[in-house]
Amino acid sequence: MVQDRRVLYVGGLEEEVNRDTLYAAFVPFGEIAEVQIPNDPKTGKTKGFGFVTYAEVEDAAEALFNMDKAELFGRIITVNVARPMLGGKAGKAVWETNADNYFDKPGDKAEVGEHALGS
């Protein structure tokens, strides 16, 4: 899997930091395409990290240089180029693994078709 150097991992976030706060902290370095802060599905609270995706690799590099080990809401944050998730189910699209063989199992075609049509 290819690493997208436009996507930065931001760790050590304080609970009060939301998408708007993270956007405001990183926008001085360039155009931001997306900001994500995952929540714990059980508690609804943030997991203490987020992702900032820049439109340009150079802008992401500038943000990395300036924001790694910076203070945000009283905490020292860690900024790295995000690595693709390896293994596990979280964030993995169904079509990534064995997509060409998904419908080859007996009986699956009819079941999928019926469910898709709401029958």
Side-chain angles (χ1 to χ4, degrees), residues 39-67:
N39 289 331
D40 183 310
K42 292 179 183 174
T43 66
K45 294 181 179 181
T46 66
K47 294 184 175 185
F49 66 90
F51 299 94
V52 177
T53 304
Y54 280 91
E56 302 294 330
V57 173
E58 296 80 12
D59 295 338
E62 188 71 19
L64 173 61
F65 178 79
N66 285 283
M67 293 299 287

Side-chain angles (χ1 to χ4, degrees), residues 80-104:
N80 296 306
V81 174
R83 289 179 268 168
M85 190 170 191
L86 302 175
K89 293 181 181 179
K92 190 171 188 178
V94 173
W95 55 85
E96 281 187 50
T97 306
N98 299 322
D100 295 334
N101 302 326
Y102 184 76
F103 293 108
D104 290 347

Side-chain angles (χ1 to χ4, degrees), residues 110-119:
E111 290 175 14
V112 171
E114 290 172 6
H115 293 297
L117 296 174
S119 303

